[in-house]
Structures are given as structure tokens and as C-alpha cells.
Amino acid sequence: MRQRRWRTWTLRGVAGLVALILLALAAGWLYLRASLAQLDGERAAPGMHAVVTVERDAAGVPLISGTSRADVAYATGFVHAQERYFQMDLLRRTAAGELAELFGPRALPLDRSRRLHRFRARAQLALARLPVGERALLERYVAGVNDGLQALRAKPFEYALTGAEARPWSAADSLLVIWAMYIDLQGNQEPRELARGWLRANSDPAQLAFLLPEASSWDATLDAGAGVAPPAQAPLPPQAPAWWGAAPEQPVQLAGTGLDASVGSNNYAVAGSRSTSGAAIVADDMHLGLQLPNIWYRLALRFPDPKGGQRRIAGVSLPGAPPTIIVGSNGQVAWAFTNSYADLVDLVPVDLDAARPGQVRLPAGWETPASHVELIAVKGAQAERFVVRETSLGPIREAGGRQYAVRWIAHDPAAINLNHLKLETAGSVDEALAIAAIDGIPAQNFVAGDAAGNIGWTIAGLLPQRTTPVLATTFPLEDGVPTWSARLAPERYPRVVNPADGQITTANSRQLMGEGAALIGDGGFDIGARNRQLADSLRALGPKLDVGQAWGAALDDRAIFIGRWRERALRALDPQALDGQPQRAEFRRLLETSWDGHASVGSVGYRLARNTMWAFHELLFGRANKAMEALAPKATIGSATTRWPDVVARLLDTRPVGWLPPGYRDWRAVELAAVDRVIQDLTKDGQALAQATWGQRNLASIAHPISMAVPALAPLLGAPADQLPGDSNMPRVAGPKFGQSERLTVSPGREEEGLYNMPGGQSGHPLSPFFLAGHAEWVEARPVPLLPGPVKHTLRFVP
């Protein structure tokens, strides 16, 4: 009897526990449902002049239509907040250094690095400088954001998981979002200068000139047809620096087998003389870190233009940023961006003297820095007091026992404005290029085309006016080398308009060899292989092409760059090298048989050849990388110069004895050591070499950032682990967490023919049908129409 009672109560307890779990799951599900965006219905909106409609298609892409630009801005803010508020919050916190308030002490190092720049204080000053009309438009967007947040029946689910409150949005927050892009796109220039400074201090001038070439063998610049010669190749010095070679205690690892995530993006334009329609074709795929939700939010806006007609603008917006299209088409002009890698940061050494307490010496003399106390809120801990010392040239940072004033263009009062809005009404390429030169954004390669068939390039965003030779400012400044003291005047910005071959391509590499190059400088250009391949691919499409053919150029995954390293490995693996070496023999067999000339997911040969190049990197630069990383985590030979593969190739071609790394009798031994290192790396866990496909390594890892705070939710908040074709140094850039954040191709005035992809959906909510909408098409490179499709949902805002 007692045993039966025990069994009965046990069953009741289990049933109760199951019921509680089910109730908790149901409550969680209901909570999640309550934080979904409103897609249909009607809402009264304070301050609205007339009715605004938000018509979404089956993928959640909206067409927002209204009779005033301000009303459309309000609706854009409402939609952004309901679908992406947590993403917006992370962007403003990233710029302001406020992540520890959400994620606790582990975010403090990042917050400290951002507080150094005091972007929240700068945002308030920038806000006060906005013209009245632009400030009013921004405030309407902010009103829409806050109304959209309040209209959710439950706060976004991320705040329930972090235990934080969803702080209201402000106009200054929208400016911080732009500064977040400054950090993302220009944040590597400080470690680059530190790395180059270390090389300068530990190499003689001849060695330094050889190790840091000004151009690469791959460069295909926009002025190449003008007969401008590239800089002369530096002579090869007789001896290597003392640091040359692998780090002595370095384990078997290939640090570079990850994607070169610091360099990316393609854009290009085809003139009307080469398009089947006579209108220009403009394409863009911006390469950024990939996560869910995707950084961009696709939409179309429709409102009256100043001339009394209707204006429809289609493209991508950045949730949280001022309410406009970042990249897209306005019906008359289309435009696209890639990061310019202009030289925009100077590290100015700061001298101290015990006889002058509290003062520092800069090139102009002694001064007393201003001290600003920043209080960093920390979840679960006391706020941290962080003091910023700011000079007339910028805040002071320390690296390698030396103090520097950080002179960054992002600190300039004109770094941010709302001139990007003017592109909405640009009617020609000439108008668009003029607007680009006054745009308050991180400096970009701006490519545009118009409905009449014209195409053009310039730099969009702020450039410094330099009076110093370009190379001198790519290192921490030496005594007597001045930093910039003024902004480059817009009329001096370099331009290329309607080139003879009817096409323009940029892909983060050197844009110009001749006049204009010194105005841009070199802030870490790509080696240039990707841009050359893109330009050649576009040219090979023939004298006439349509939007679909132009779209395909960004999907070129031919292994032209890595193919040369495969050839080197094959030459090294001759019969003598294979004798008694079965693993080397297998390596060679796979290079020959598992190779189709592409970065294909099933190719073993591609992975072997790529890793061989990176093995040379470890064997020759390992000691230097270890020393440089002590200055800054991202300071490496790769940040100092992306042209290091050219340096290695030149050594392998000439085989100078004075540059042999320690421990090797000849360059053949170095080549075989590189192959053996790849074999050891790929087989160390018992895997057969034949299983080491490129797809096995290039697995998508695209997840919601909240999964870092709550790892158990990662399976629910991520995209499938797809095997991705493509790589760096080819147009189809693809890596586990970095790649084509969007693909867009359009002819202005013919937006119905426009094509689009992006890796995540419109919504950041995992229960939304739009969470992963479009992801499969992105993986498979199946384009969808740029414009929203048939209307499935309609939300109306009424006065």
C-alpha cells in the first residue's frame, strides 16, 4: 500500500513538473508572440500630416508611401523599431561604449576602447549643428521609433533574456549609429599604424621598403588606361631583419586560415554604352560581419519630390541611422559603396616631462589636455570611472610603452551630417558625385550611374588635406612630420566619369596610381586581386550586357589568386620530395584531382593551396606577428600590409640566401616545410587529408548576437551551417561570419528589373516569418526582385 502511494505521488509530481514546464514554455511562446511587429491594421500617429501606408510583401519587404517626407520618416522609424530595435540598441551602444550595461564586465575592454573617443558627447554637438529642416526630419524618425517600440505588446525578447530595459531612442542615438560604422570600417587603422611602426623600428630602411610595397602586382586602378606607371619595385636587400622567421615555440597552427575579414566589398557600374537598355547598371555587395538580423533592412520609399512629382527610392536602409536609403536607386540615379581605405588616422607621439606635470608636448608645442570622466555602467557591478585625456589633436592612448594622440577623421566636427538625404533627389551622376563629396559618412568609394547611361566614381565622406608624403603618415608620426590641419575641399576630390571602356569597379584596393592618389593616401588597401578579377569578369561579359549578367559578376569564385600558390606547391612536390613521403604524395594527388579552379565547397585542392600560402606566412612572419600583437590584438603583418603574399612570392622566385628563415638550408626546404605544416594542421585530429574540403572549413556561422549571452539559444537563433563557395581575393567573398551582406544590381529608372539578396530576413524576431526569409536564396545565389512583391500586409497610419 505504501509503495503504491509512493508511486502515485511520484507520478503526480512528475505530471506536475511536466505541466509546469509546459506552462513555462507556453508563457515563453506567448511572450515572444507579443513582441512581434504589427503588420496589418490602422494606427493613429501624433504629428502625422496625412495617411501613410506600409505595404509588406511575403518576405516582409515594405513599400512606405506618404504625402510628406516627414510622415514617411515617422513610418520608417516605426517599422525599424518593431523589427530591429535590439540591433539598433547594439549599434548605438557599440559607438558610445555602453555594452557592459547589457553584458556585464566582459564587455568592459571594448567599452573602454570606445569611450576613449567620447562619441556620445560628440553626437550632442553634431546634433546642435544640424540645419532646422534636417533636425525636424530626424526627430520625426525618432518619434516613429519610440512609438513603434511602445506599440509592441511586450518588449523585444532580447531584453527579457538580458534583464535590461529597452531605453528610448534619441536623435543623438541615430548619429551614434553612423559612428558605429566609422568604427567598423576604419577601426583597423590604429593597429595597422602600430604594426607598421614596429616594422620600422625593427628593420632598416631598405628592408622596410621591400616588406611594405606601395602597390601590388594585382592592382587594376581606375586610371590604368591613362598610361600612369605604378611605383617602382623596391630592391631586394641582401639580408633579412633579425626578427625574420617563425616564432620558436609556436604550435602547429595556421592563423590565416580564417577569412581576411578586415577587407571587403565590391561595387561596379556599367555605362549605357554597354548596357542593353541604354541606362547605366550599378551593382553593390558590401562585405561585412554576418549575423542575424542582417545589418541592412530592405525597403522602398514613395513620397512627393520637390518638383511636384512622385519619387520612389528602393534599396537598403540601416536601422537606427537617419531615415534614408544607404545604397540603392531613386529612379534617376543609382549609387553604391565600398570602403575606401583612405588614410584617415594618425598616431601622433606625445612627449612628457616631469618638470611639466599634467602637460604633454605635441608637434605644435606644450599643452594641457582636457580631462573627461566617463562613467561606464556595468551589469551586476559598480559603474567604472574611466578618464579620457584629450589634446587638441585627439584623445591620448598608450601602446608599447608609448603615448599617442589619436588624430582620427571621425573626431572632426564635420564627420557626420545628413547630406546623404540629398541623394534622394539627385538627377544625374554629376549631381550625385557633388553630393558624395559633402556626405557626412565614413569615407567610401562612391560609384553611381544614371538613367541617361553616365557612370562615375569619387570618394564619399570626409578626407583630410595632407601636405606630407603619403607613406610617412601610414606609420606613427616621427618628429617633424605634421598631421593634417584641414579637411580636403569638396572641389578637390578625385573623380572618374565615363571611362572609355564603359565600366568602373572598386573592391577596396588602390584606386589611382597617378594624380589624386596622394589625396586619398593608403589606409590599408586590399592587395587588388579581387578588383582585378571583378574588372576582367565584367569586361569578359562582352560589349552589351543586362542586369542579370552584371549581377553574376559578383558571384565569380574562380581561384585565380590561390591558383598561383597551387602551382608553387605542385612544383615543390617533385618525385624527390615525394620519395618515402605518402602524405606528401596524397597532398599532390589532391591538388591535381580535387581542384576545379574555383573555391568550391567540395574542393580539397583549393583548401590545401590556400593553406600553403598561409603556412609561408607563419614560417616567415611568425616572430613578427607575436611581437606586434603585444601592441594591439589586430596588429600583424596582415594589417601592416595586405601585399605580403607578393613579398613572399618574390622571395620564392628569387631565393635569396640572406632571407632564408633560421633553421632551413635552402628555399626548397622552406617550401616542403610549408606543405608539411598544412598536412600536420589538417590531420592532427585524425582526419584524412582527402576529407579536408573547402566546404568543411567554410561553414556559415550566422547567429543572433544574443546567443553569445545565452549560448543555449544558439540553435534557435542562427542560420543553417551551410557550406559556402567563395573566399577572399575573389569577387564572391564568403566566410563563416563575414561576406556579402547584400547583393544589389539595378538600372536607375528600371528598378522593376533590379535584383537582390541578403543573408538574413527583415525581422530580428525568431518567430517572425521574415526572420530567415531570403537566406536560402542568398546561399544559392538565386536573386529575388529588388522591389517589394505583391502586397500581403498593409498597415496604415492616420493623423
Side-chain angles (χ1 to χ4, degrees):
M1 175 72 89
R2 190 175 297 169
Q3 188 175 12
R4 188 179 304 156
R5 285 179 183 172
W6 179 84
R7 187 181 300 118
T8 300
W9 282 108
T10 299
L11 290 173
R12 287 177 180 174
V14 170
L17 180 61
V18 170
L20 285 173
I21 292 172
L22 291 175
L23 283 172
L25 290 173
W29 185 83
L30 288 171
Y31 180 90
L32 283 172
R33 293 285 303 172
S35 59
L36 283 168
Q38 180 179 351
L39 305 180
D40 296 286
E42 186 171 288
R43 297 192 63 87
M48 192 72 72
H49 295 89
V51 173
V52 174
T53 60
V54 178
E55 298 171 312
R56 286 179 169 94
D57 66 9
V61 182
L63 168 63
I64 303 176
S65 304
T67 59
S68 85
R69 186 65 184 88
D71 286 352
V72 169
Y74 173 92
T76 303
F78 189 97
V79 168
H80 278 170
Q82 292 223 316
E83 301 278 25
R84 301 287 193 89
Y85 194 78
F86 189 71
Q87 173 197 6
M88 296 163 59
D89 193 8
L90 288 184
L91 285 171
R92 68 176 169 181
R93 289 176 181 273
T94 293
E98 297 168 351
L99 291 169
E101 189 176 6
L102 282 181
F103 301 115
R106 61 180 169 172
L108 272 172
L110 190 60
D111 277 358
R112 293 185 196 111
S113 70
R114 304 294 159 73
R115 287 295 178 106
L116 182 73
H117 304 288
R118 302 184 62 247
F119 284 134
R120 185 165 286 285
R122 296 182 196 278
Q124 293 295 340
L125 295 174
L127 196 63
R129 288 190 294 267
L130 287 181
V132 173
E134 292 177 359
R135 175 70 181 267
L137 183 72
L138 182 56
E139 292 291 356
R140 286 305 292 157
Y141 173 76
V142 170
V145 168
N146 287 323
D147 285 354
L149 179 64
Q150 291 301 315
L152 294 172
R153 291 178 293 127
K155 63 184 178 182
F157 75 94
E158 297 94 341
Y159 296 99
L161 293 172
T162 59
E165 291 299 318
R167 198 169 63 200
W169 199 255
S170 71
D173 292 333
S174 287
L175 303 186
L176 283 169
V177 170
I178 304 177
W179 265 303
M181 297 309 295
Y182 267 98
I183 292 168
D184 194 17
L185 297 171
Q186 299 174 8
N188 284 337
Q189 293 204 11
E190 281 184 60
R192 166 182 159 80
E193 295 218 349
L194 291 170
R196 291 170 73 87
W198 186 92
L199 287 170
R200 181 178 63 190
N202 292 277
S203 311
D204 67 35
Q207 292 165 343
L208 191 68
F210 169 70
L211 291 165
L212 301 179
E214 295 181 54
S216 89
S217 61
W218 297 94
D219 281 323
T221 57
L222 295 172
D223 56 1
V228 181
Q233 199 174 51
L236 177 58
Q239 293 294 325
W243 52 261
W244 188 244
E249 69 281 5
Q250 191 169 355
V252 175
Q253 61 177 357
L254 297 179
T257 53
L259 188 74
D260 303 320
S262 63
V263 176
S265 297
N266 307 315
N267 67 8
Y268 47 103
V270 176
S273 59
R274 287 189 55 201
S275 76
T276 55
S277 69
I281 302 172
V282 175
D284 195 31
D285 51 294
M286 295 181 279
H287 308 156
L288 296 166
L290 303 180
Q291 62 182 23
L292 297 176
N294 190 46
I295 187 170
W296 310 116
Y297 184 86
R298 180 160 59 113
L299 80 173
L301 306 175
R302 186 165 58 196
F303 52 85
D305 66 22
K307 298 177 182 177
Q310 280 289 314
R311 179 71 63 167
R312 181 185 64 186
I313 309 170
V316 298
S317 62
L318 176 59
T324 188
I325 297 294
I326 304 298
V327 162
S329 177
N330 68 12
Q332 294 177 291
V333 176
W335 62 94
F337 289 143
T338 67
N339 199 15
S340 69
Y341 287 89
D343 183 12
L344 304 165
V345 172
D346 282 347
L347 293 181
V348 184
V350 168
D351 291 326
L352 306 175
D353 188 338
R356 291 175 174 266
Q359 290 193 303
V360 299
R361 190 177 69 178
L362 295 171
W366 290 92
E367 64 176 73
T368 302
S371 289
H372 304 279
V373 177
E374 297 275 322
L375 289 178
I376 306 176
V378 184
K379 179 183 176 183
Q382 287 187 330
E384 179 176 295
R385 187 175 181 271
F386 183 75
V387 179
V388 178
R389 299 174 67 219
E390 188 150 16
T391 72
S392 59
L393 296 182
I396 296 174
R397 66 158 293 176
E398 187 275 335
R402 191 74 201 266
Q403 293 192 15
Y404 301 94
V406 181
R407 178 77 160 149
W408 184 11
I409 200 72
H411 299 152
D412 193 282
I416 285 181
N417 59 45
L418 301 194
N419 285 336
H420 196 79
L421 288 161
K422 300 179 191 300
L423 287 170
E424 295 181 351
T425 55
S428 68
V429 160
D430 284 341
E431 285 183 43
L433 296 181
I435 294 166
I438 59 171
D439 204 349
I441 60 172
Q444 300 289 292
N445 287 308
F446 179 87
V447 167
D450 61 30
N454 301 297
I455 60 174
W457 162 88
T458 190
I459 299 294
L462 225 57
L463 289 175
Q465 179 176 304
R466 294 188 178 274
T467 58
T468 306
V470 172
L471 281 182
T473 62
T474 63
F475 303 88
L477 299 186
E478 295 183 305
D479 289 343
V481 177
T483 186
W484 77 85
S485 58
R487 299 184 291 271
L488 187 68
E491 61 271 17
R492 294 190 60 200
Y493 275 48
R495 283 188 180 191
V496 173
V497 178
N498 291 331
D501 62 353
Q503 68 177 53
I504 291 172
T505 65
T506 82
N508 314 112
S509 53
R510 183 169 177 149
Q511 304 95 338
L512 302 169
M513 287 291 181
E515 187 179 357
L519 299 175
I520 301 169
D522 182 351
F525 289 140
D526 180 60
I527 191 171
R530 177 161 45 90
N531 186 53
R532 176 173 288 278
Q533 186 168 335
L534 179 63
D536 290 347
S537 297
L538 205 58
R539 199 170 288 114
L541 289 173
K544 294 285 183 179
L545 59 155
D546 59 23
V547 166
Q549 291 170 303
W551 158 275
L555 300 172
D556 182 0
D557 60 9
R558 288 176 297 147
I560 295 173
F561 178 79
I562 292 298
R564 296 188 183 181
W565 294 94
R566 172 180 175 266
E567 292 166 5
R568 291 184 184 280
L570 286 171
R571 287 196 297 269
L573 292 170
D574 58 17
Q576 184 181 354
L578 303 184
D579 186 29
Q581 299 284 341
Q583 287 281 54
R584 289 182 186 172
E586 175 70 350
F587 192 105
R588 181 181 177 100
R589 183 187 73 80
L590 292 167
L591 280 177
E592 292 175 327
T593 62
S594 187
W595 172 269
D596 62 1
H598 294 256
S600 304
V601 296
S603 175
V604 177
Y606 180 82
R607 189 175 181 186
L608 298 183
R610 184 187 196 274
N611 285 18
T612 299
M613 179 188 75
W614 282 102
F616 283 117
H617 172 273
E618 300 295 337
L619 290 170
L620 302 180
F621 301 111
R623 287 182 182 176
N625 283 334
K626 187 170 184 180
M628 286 187 275
E629 286 169 4
L631 297 174
K634 293 183 179 180
T636 64
I637 191 68
S639 61
T641 176
T642 62
R643 300 169 184 130
W644 67 263
D646 269 9
V647 173
V648 176
R650 190 174 170 193
L651 291 172
L652 294 174
D653 288 341
T654 57
R655 300 177 176 261
V657 174
W659 284 78
L660 274 172
Y664 295 92
R665 65 182 182 276
D666 55 31
W667 281 99
R668 174 181 170 77
V670 178
E671 291 172 326
L672 294 178
V675 169
D676 291 342
R677 182 168 284 233
V678 174
I679 292 170
Q680 191 175 357
D681 179 56
L682 293 178
T683 60
K684 63 179 180 289
D685 295 324
Q687 175 181 251
L689 209 56
Q691 295 175 323
T693 63
W694 178 238
Q696 180 202 57
R697 145 63 182 79
N698 213 34
L699 282 175
S701 180
I702 306 172
H704 194 291
I706 204 68
S707 62
M708 292 185 290
V710 190
L713 294 178
L716 303 175
L717 296 175
D722 302 290
Q723 296 190 9
L724 302 174
D727 191 13
S728 54
N729 294 310
M730 60 184 60
R732 189 170 186 172
V733 170
K737 298 181 180 181
F738 185 87
Q740 295 173 320
S741 65
E742 47 78 51
R743 303 183 188 118
L744 183 155
T745 307
V746 64
S747 280
R750 305 173 69 88
E751 286 76 17
E752 286 76 11
E753 300 170 4
L755 301 175
Y756 189 78
N757 272 159
M758 71 180 189
Q762 294 287 96
S763 175
H765 198 301
L767 292 188
S768 169
F770 313 138
F771 183 58
L772 281 174
H775 173 77
E777 290 84 350
W778 175 82
V779 171
E780 298 164 12
R782 289 186 286 115
V784 300
L786 171 63
L787 292 179
V791 177
K792 299 294 183 182
H793 304 279
T794 301
L795 178 63
R796 299 176 76 249
F797 295 94
V798 298

